Amino acid sequence: MPRCNAVGCNWRHETHHCALCGDGDSRHVSADCPRRFACILGHGTKTGATSSITQSGLRVSSEGRLGPGIYFATIPTARVIGKWRNEGEATVLYHCEVNLGKVKTMDGLAEDKSGSWRANYDSCHGMHPPWGGRTEPFREWVVKSPSQVKIVGLEICDGTYDGHIHLPGCWINISGRVTFGGNITAGTMVLNGAHVTLR
Ligand SMILES: [Zn+2]
Ligand SMILES: [Zn+2]
């Protein structure tokens, strides 16, 4: 099989899709993408219905497949996982501008639960086995510190959200049936055919 054009790629495939810039026949792997210092990635979460969402809201997970850090996926993947995890509380998907900096790439489905990459890299990129409504392995990234992450937008769908949302300067996109109990501050708000109830 002919190899892709991406320098440093070990996969056996004909064309290389860069997950960061979207190039369908990329000459670089995503760890070398020029967009890696300001790429848009998604962080889906099942926010506790009463906690507030703020600009500094993304917390560092103490553990994960790639060790401690803040975990991201591509927006479409994060959306699927968020919906799969939904159990009545609204699904919340942060769109973030992420500075991946110097990226460590894991081989295949390898794990690094101790986060040994943190000694020499700013972020780590690996493939997660099928999970959360995804039937294929999917890309994930983990970054060291909240200082590498800027929240730019928030998708909220289907469910109840009682906490306050304070995201001045960010957009909020609401879809499905959502009930809000708290105060909302945002830059712009888009109601994507949503049925919104304010209590
Ligand atoms: Zn490739
Ligand atoms: Zn790229």
Side-chain angles (χ1 to χ4, degrees):
M1 182 186 273
R3 301 298 294 263
C4 72
N5 293 316
V7 176
C9 175
N10 297 323
W11 295 85
R12 300 191 65 80
H13 54 191
E14 292 180 40
T15 53
H16 195 99
H17 173 255
C18 175
L20 299 184
C21 68
D23 189 336
D25 188 11
S26 176
R27 295 179 171 273
H28 57 254
V29 293
S30 66
D32 294 329
C33 182
R35 296 272 182 91
R36 69 188 180 279
F37 302 110
C39 51
I40 300 294
L41 294 173
H43 177 93
T45 185
K46 216 172 71 181
T47 307
T50 54
S51 61
S52 50
I53 295 178
T54 64
Q55 198 74 49
S56 57
L58 293 190
R59 281 196 218 107
V60 175
S61 304
S62 56
E63 55 187 35
R65 289 184 68 257
L66 303 175
I70 305 174
Y71 281 76
F72 293 94
T74 62
I75 299 292
T77 295
R79 199 177 278 137
V80 169
I81 293 170
K83 286 190 177 158
W84 178 80
R85 295 174 87 178
N86 185 312
E87 290 167 354
E89 291 172 9
T91 299
V92 175
L93 172 59
Y94 291 89
H95 288 234
C96 300
E97 187 183 290
V98 182
N99 182 350
L100 295 172
K102 190 177 171 198
V103 186
K104 159 84 179 174
T105 299
M106 302 298 291
D107 276 337
L109 298 170
E111 297 185 345
D112 180 4
K113 285 190 170 167
S114 68
S116 61
W117 57 270
R118 296 172 63 96
N120 296 304
Y121 296 88
D122 304 309
S123 65
C124 182
H125 165 228
M127 297 298 285
H128 191 296
W131 178 79
R134 291 290 314 247
T135 54
E136 300 283 326
F138 56 89
R139 290 170 187 279
E140 65 177 348
W141 290 264
V142 58
V143 305
K144 248 184 198 173
S145 141
S147 67
Q148 293 166 261
V149 179
K150 185 177 145 202
I151 298 169
V152 295
L154 188 67
E155 282 183 45
I156 302 176
C157 79
D158 284 329
T160 299
Y161 190 81
D162 277 325
H164 299 307
I165 299 175
H166 187 72
L167 292 174
C170 298
W171 52 261
I172 298 183
N173 184 316
I174 303 167
S175 60
R177 282 180 174 271
V178 182
T179 301
F180 289 103
N183 300 326
I184 304 173
T185 312
T188 57
M189 196 117 106
V190 178
L191 300 179
N192 197 1
H195 185 277
V196 176
T197 307
L198 304 172
R199 327 189 257 251

